[in-house]
Amino acid sequence: MPTRSRHRPLFRHLLIAVYVTLLVTGCATMAPVQEMSDARQALRAAEEVGAPVRASETYGRSRSLLEQAESSLSAGEFQAARRQAREARALAIEARIRAAE
C-alpha cells in the first residue's frame, strides 16, 4: 500500500502535464476565426475614414496581409493565418489613425 500512495502525486502531475500540453496544442491548431474577424473590422473602420486614399501604403499592406491570412487559412496553416491577421489588424488601425489626422 505505501507504494501505491507514493505514485499518486506523480501520476496526478503526469496527467496535469498531458492536459496542459493538449490544451496548448489545441489552441495552436484552432482556426483563427476571431483574429480574421478583427482584421476585417479594422479594415472596414479604416475605409470609413478614407484610409485607402489618405493612408494608401499602410492600408494596402494591411489589405495584402489579410489576403495572405485568408490564403493561409484556406491551406490549413492556422498559425501563419493568425499571425498575418493580427499584423493586418495592427496596420489597419495605424492606417485609420493616419487617415483621420
Side-chain angles (χ1 to χ4, degrees), residues 17-93:
V18 169
Y19 176 75
V20 169
T21 301
L22 289 174
L23 183 66
V24 169
T25 304
C27 290
T29 59
M30 290 176 52
V33 176
Q34 187 63 52
E35 290 87 347
M36 297 295 288
S37 176
D38 291 347
R40 288 185 191 104
Q41 289 176 15
L43 272 166
R44 278 193 296 272
E47 289 166 359
E48 290 176 4
V49 295
V53 174
R54 294 185 185 146
S56 60
E57 184 180 328
T58 307
Y59 175 84
R61 288 186 0 235
S62 176
R63 165 83 44 210
S64 177
L65 272 168
L66 181 58
E67 290 170 2
Q68 290 174 26
E70 288 168 346
S71 294
S72 295
L73 183 63
S74 294
E77 298 169 354
F78 297 153
Q79 288 180 346
R82 180 173 286 110
R83 180 183 45 78
Q84 292 159 341
R86 286 178 180 161
E87 289 178 30
R89 177 183 175 269
L91 285 171
I93 290 169

